[in-house]
Amino acid sequence: IILYQGAVNIGRGLEQAILSMKFIDNAKLVIAGDGDIKPELEKLVEKQNLKNKVEFTGRLPLEELTELTIKADLGLSIEEDLGLNYRFALTNKLFDYIQVQVPVLVTNLPGMVAIVNQYKIGEITSSLEPEKLSEKIKDSLFNIEKRETWQENLKIAAKELTWENEEKVLVEIYSRFLD
């Protein structure tokens, strides 16, 4: 299972992810979420004859989304560089994947690259061209050596990248102003 969770909007790399499925066997892309472009993505799936490889779940209750995320083999956070908001984003989905120890594929955007490089928990793609993206996805799914390393590193990342740890940093910063 290749999972995308979140807003189904422009700039999330979803069109390219769908088209990349033409080149990938033995996997399914699951898009969990809703948004502006969902109807046109559903038409794209139909037109490209990919209904057996792409599934839309719509919005899911948090418990169901967590259950789905745990089952995923790869989490996508492949936003396009459409401006500063996207360029410097650290998406919630990235941390959701990390917390349930699912390897990730992210675009070459600074915040996400820093996390993936620091913890060695997945792949980075510099291209969203469907054929090139499919190669990154296949390598991420089927390179056993990389996956074993990522699984070990995801345990560490999941322990370190938590709100509880961030909360301590924030309390320390703000405590200087409250005394």
Side-chain angles (χ1 to χ4, degrees), residues 104-140:
V104 298
L105 175 62
V106 302
T107 38
N108 194 15
L109 300 174
M112 291 189 287
V113 165
I115 297 285
V116 172
N117 281 339
Q118 179 180 348
Y119 289 97
K120 309 273 187 271
I121 55 170
E123 284 286 347
I124 299 159
T125 184
S126 56
S127 174
L128 289 179
E129 190 276 313
E131 201 161 351
K132 290 179 182 175
L133 182 59
S134 73
E135 292 303 317
K136 285 286 187 177
I137 291 171
K138 287 188 283 192
D139 189 45
S140 297

Side-chain angles (χ1 to χ4, degrees), residues 13-24:
L14 294 171
E15 300 92 335
Q16 297 94 325
I18 289 167
L19 293 172
S20 75
M21 294 306 294
K22 294 194 301 189
F23 308 103
I24 300 171

Side-chain angles (χ1 to χ4, degrees), residues 56-90:
F56 294 90
T57 68
R59 272 185 208 191
L60 297 172
L62 187 55
E63 301 80 31
E64 286 181 42
L65 181 59
T66 301
E67 287 176 27
L68 174 60
T69 307
I70 289 168
K71 294 175 187 172
D73 299 291
L74 182 66
L76 299 181
S77 190
I78 52 172
E79 285 70 22
E80 297 173 55
D81 190 359
L82 297 179
L84 295 177
N85 184 45
Y86 279 71
R87 185 172 304 135
F88 295 108
L90 276 173

